[in-house]
Amino acid sequence: MLKLEKITGRNIWDILKLSVYEAQQDFVASNDLSIIEAYTTITGNGYAFPFGIYEDDMPVGFLMIGFDTDDYWDNAPSIAKGNYNLWRLMIDKNHQKRGYGREAVKLALNFIKTFPCGKAEYCWLSYEPENEVASRLYRSFGFVETGEMDGEELIAILKL
């Protein structure tokens, strides 16, 4: 059964060993960079929830959820203010094509709907325009592209 586990001193090294295929590296930041971003967000008065994705006791991926903005996020998209963000999702190259990504998005949305940082109207995310797999996955959950960009990535939103 798939589950999310908070990143801790006990599991961080297992999560840092996970990676995607080389052809996918332009689509998602490495887990070490993501964990650094979570730390700097939290120390900048923001909210970040980094999770390992586990199939029973085996790490298969990484997921990170954010909320609102932090003190250092320049040029944040307007949708970020007061809303949740499915910030990162990666499934290790050795565990792809098993439905883990789809199940991880369900788990992420279930977590977000507990409103750990307070009520919000939307969950948003962004992805590279060339990442057709991500686009199909997120659309299947009801995410809709807004036409806005976060840097070079397309923004899609889901009403909570």
Side-chain angles (χ1 to χ4, degrees):
M1 174 191 274
L2 209 67
K3 63 186 174 185
L4 301 180
E5 290 189 16
K6 289 181 183 179
I7 300 296
T8 67
R10 296 189 195 280
N11 66 3
I12 191 169
W13 298 108
D14 291 332
I15 299 305
L16 292 175
K17 292 176 189 172
L18 303 177
S19 63
V20 295
Y21 288 106
E22 189 174 331
Q24 298 169 320
Q25 289 175 356
D26 288 341
F27 294 153
V28 65
S30 63
N31 294 343
D32 56 352
L33 178 61
S34 295
I35 292 167
I36 290 167
E37 287 180 334
Y39 175 81
T40 59
T41 296
I42 292 165
T43 61
N45 297 310
Y47 297 92
F49 300 91
F51 293 104
I53 303 168
Y54 284 80
E55 175 63 40
D56 296 319
D57 293 327
M58 180 176 50
V60 300
F62 175 80
L63 182 141
M64 191 158 73
I65 295 165
F67 176 76
D68 203 41
T69 61
D70 63 52
D71 294 345
Y72 306 109
W73 192 359
D74 298 328
N75 304 315
S78 59
I79 190 68
K81 194 70 179 155
N83 287 303
Y84 289 90
N85 175 13
L86 181 49
W87 192 351
R88 293 281 154 65
L89 172 62
M90 71 79 68
I91 302 298
D92 181 78
K93 61 188 171 197
N94 297 312
H95 301 285
Q96 294 182 10
K97 299 192 184 218
R98 298 181 188 174
Y100 292 148
R102 176 169 300 287
E103 189 62 27
V105 171
K106 285 181 194 174
L107 292 171
L109 291 173
N110 287 342
F111 175 80
I112 288 167
K113 288 176 182 176
T114 69
F115 301 107
C117 301
K119 278 293 223 182
E121 188 173 359
Y122 294 102
C123 174
W124 71 280
L125 50 80
S126 63
Y127 52 88
E128 298 287 338
E130 303 82 28
N131 192 345
E132 295 175 15
V133 172
S135 176
R136 280 192 306 273
L137 173 64
Y138 299 138
R139 278 193 318 241
S140 75
F141 281 93
F143 282 89
V144 177
E145 291 177 8
T146 64
E148 297 174 82
M149 304 287 281
D150 181 16
E152 296 180 8
E153 296 184 341
L154 299 169
I155 292 177
I157 62 171
L158 175 71
K159 189 157 178 59
L160 296 172

